[in-house]
Amino acid sequence: MKKIIYIAILFSGLANAQITPEFEIGAKGVFSGNLNFNSDESSAVSDFSDTQLLMGLRQKLYNNWRAQFVLGLQFPDANSNLGEVFYNNIFIRLEDQKNIVKLGRTLAKTNLNQFPTLRDDDAQQFTYALNPFSDGVNTEWDQYANVLEYAHIFKQRFFISMHGENFYNSLKPDDFRLNSIGLSLMYKVPSSQRWNRDVIQEIGLSYNNYFTDRIGYSSDFDASVKNLLFSTTLNLKPDPINFIDFRFQAIQNFGWKELSTINEYFDYTRTESSTFFGTFRYLKQKLERPNYQISIGGGYKSLPNLEVDSNQLIFIANSFYRIGENFDIGLQYRYTENRGFTESLFGKNEHRIQLALVYSFNKIFNKQFGDREDLLNLEHNYLR
């Protein structure tokens, strides 16, 4: 009789049991005091933009695939017209050993590298292929898009991805059709091999085609704004204590040759331009944890087709020191200069000094899966 009761309890428990997902939460708080000095005026502001919270749920499917749902929100710039909160990540990700499918809003393939700046948009005009449908009121429409992406992985290091995006269109805000397609190739050494890094950490190439309307052109391809991105990260000194790297990205925008003047932001993103940006970073590790880092970098953008010589220049330097678990204190200086038609859009020049406190946190609960780049998966070439 007791055995029957035990078996009944066991089957009852199994019938009511549910497989709970792996839960991941991440947060980044960026708080800074900004001192701005330009040719017209000076100002001081308190800034917490780019502070964000990310949550992810991941679960095994009834085959060799697994699925992840990610929801993220961000506090945008005060003058961005996006409200108090912007949902920067809302997507579903499906993956197996060699394939990744992503659908939803997330970062677009308009940038191939992550540069050591205080905020991702500190050098945006030099590090992103700009959205030609945006009026330039905010930076988020250059970074994020509604994305449909498929990627295939060869030997854990070579990625090829085909992607289509719906970038926000300031003139047609309710148009959710795909208005961009592209192809990206990337070679990347997994971060789990950080103590035995090759000189080439990553190298990538990306092509983007934006289906813009162009007067006098019936072909969608001929009317499109196109750009090509090249990016690389080199480990100049892959030492586990004193680490030095160099990051570089070049963007060639094949714009409309008939644009010889810039009257608005749409002209700026659709005219031909060549952009270069690079940084050197020194990182000091202590007891296998980051202790402090110093970086210095700069960029140059040339707009050769304009009737007035126009270009842009940026210089940026910063330092971050870890004062406690997940807490960094940082100081950043940025100088920007604009000449020709770009001066009327962005001002002649600006000096910006920022003193910041940054909090970053990431934690996985109910861990069920191995990461694609962890050592076990690299050794056995599978996803648990």
Side-chain angles (χ1 to χ4, degrees), residues 5-17:
I5 295 174
Y6 291 151
I7 293 173
I9 293 174
L10 175 61
F11 276 102
S12 177
L14 291 175
N16 293 315

Side-chain angles (χ1 to χ4, degrees), residues 159-189:
F159 293 73
I160 179 170
S161 77
M162 296 173 288
H163 45 91
E165 294 90 5
N166 165 252
F167 283 96
Y168 180 81
N169 191 328
S170 300
L171 300 179
K172 301 177 182 178
D174 296 325
D175 188 352
F176 296 100
R177 294 174 296 177
L178 292 181
N179 51 24
S180 173
I181 59 172
L183 178 70
S184 298
L185 305 172
M186 176 68 73
Y187 167 83
K188 183 178 181 181
V189 176

Side-chain angles (χ1 to χ4, degrees), residues 114-365:
Q114 293 183 337
F115 293 96
T117 56
L118 175 62
R119 291 181 171 89
D120 294 337
D121 58 3
D122 283 338
Q124 184 151 322
Q125 294 166 16
F126 301 85
T127 57
Y128 282 83
L130 301 177
N131 174 9
F133 306 101
S134 171
D135 57 9
V137 173
N138 62 69
T139 61
E140 280 76 11
W141 298 136
D142 291 313
Q143 296 175 280
Y144 300 97
N146 298 328
V147 173
L148 175 60
E149 179 182 344
Y150 167 74
H152 187 78
I153 300 96
F154 301 89
K155 298 185 179 299
Q156 296 283 18
R157 293 193 176 192
F158 296 91
F159 293 73
I160 179 170
S161 77
M162 296 173 288
H163 45 91
E165 294 90 5
N166 165 252
F167 283 96
Y168 180 81
N169 191 328
S170 300
L171 300 179
K172 301 177 182 178
D174 296 325
D175 188 352
F176 296 100
R177 294 174 296 177
L178 292 181
N179 51 24
S180 173
I181 59 172
L183 178 70
S184 298
L185 305 172
M186 176 68 73
Y187 167 83
K188 183 178 181 181
V189 176
S191 58
S192 57
Q193 295 186 342
R194 60 187 181 274
W195 307 125
N196 186 27
R197 289 176 174 173
D198 301 324
V199 173
I200 298 179
Q201 178 68 15
E202 62 181 39
I203 185 168
L205 194 66
S206 180
Y207 170 78
N208 297 291
N209 189 99
Y210 307 91
F211 296 109
T212 49
D213 295 325
R214 188 177 183 183
I215 298 175
Y217 289 80
S218 57
S219 168
D220 288 341
F221 181 80
D222 292 337
S224 298
V225 171
K226 312 167 188 68
N227 56 56
L228 189 67
L229 288 79
F230 168 80
S231 176
T232 188
T233 299
L234 304 178
N235 295 319
L236 303 182
K237 186 178 181 182
D239 182 83
I241 297 176
N242 300 288
F243 178 76
I244 301 175
D245 69 8
F246 170 68
R247 298 168 185 259
F248 173 80
Q249 182 170 269
I251 305 172
Q252 179 61 47
N253 191 48
F254 302 99
W256 300 349
K257 294 187 180 300
E258 65 265 26
L259 281 176
S260 59
T261 61
I262 293 180
N263 299 310
E264 56 184 355
Y265 191 80
F266 291 108
D267 299 334
Y268 171 70
T269 58
R270 299 183 184 196
T271 190
E272 183 176 341
S273 64
S274 301
T275 309
F276 309 93
F277 187 83
T279 60
F280 289 92
R281 180 185 66 142
Y282 167 74
L283 173 64
K284 172 76 171 183
Q285 304 257 49
K286 188 176 183 180
L287 300 176
E288 297 186 1
R289 294 184 177 182
N291 184 221
Y292 65 88
Q293 78 173 36
I294 300 172
S295 73
I296 185 171
Y300 177 78
K301 174 177 280 190
S302 172
L303 298 89
N305 279 349
L306 303 181
E307 61 186 26
V308 174
D309 186 23
S310 301
N311 54 63
Q312 295 177 279
L313 180 70
I314 186 173
F315 171 80
I316 192 165
N318 58 45
S319 178
F320 296 92
Y321 180 79
R322 181 138 297 182
I323 59 176
E325 191 67 25
N326 303 320
F327 273 99
D328 299 320
I329 188 170
L331 179 65
Q332 177 169 283
Y333 167 74
R334 186 188 75 174
Y335 172 74
T336 55
E337 183 176 299
N338 306 289
R339 296 176 181 174
F341 284 111
T342 60
E343 182 179 339
S344 60
L345 285 181
F346 308 109
K348 185 176 182 180
N349 57 57
E350 181 186 64
H351 300 266
R352 173 178 290 184
I353 300 173
Q354 297 171 283
L355 179 63
L357 186 65
V358 181
Y359 174 76
S360 56
F361 171 82
N362 190 80
K363 181 69 176 179
I364 297 177
F365 301 92

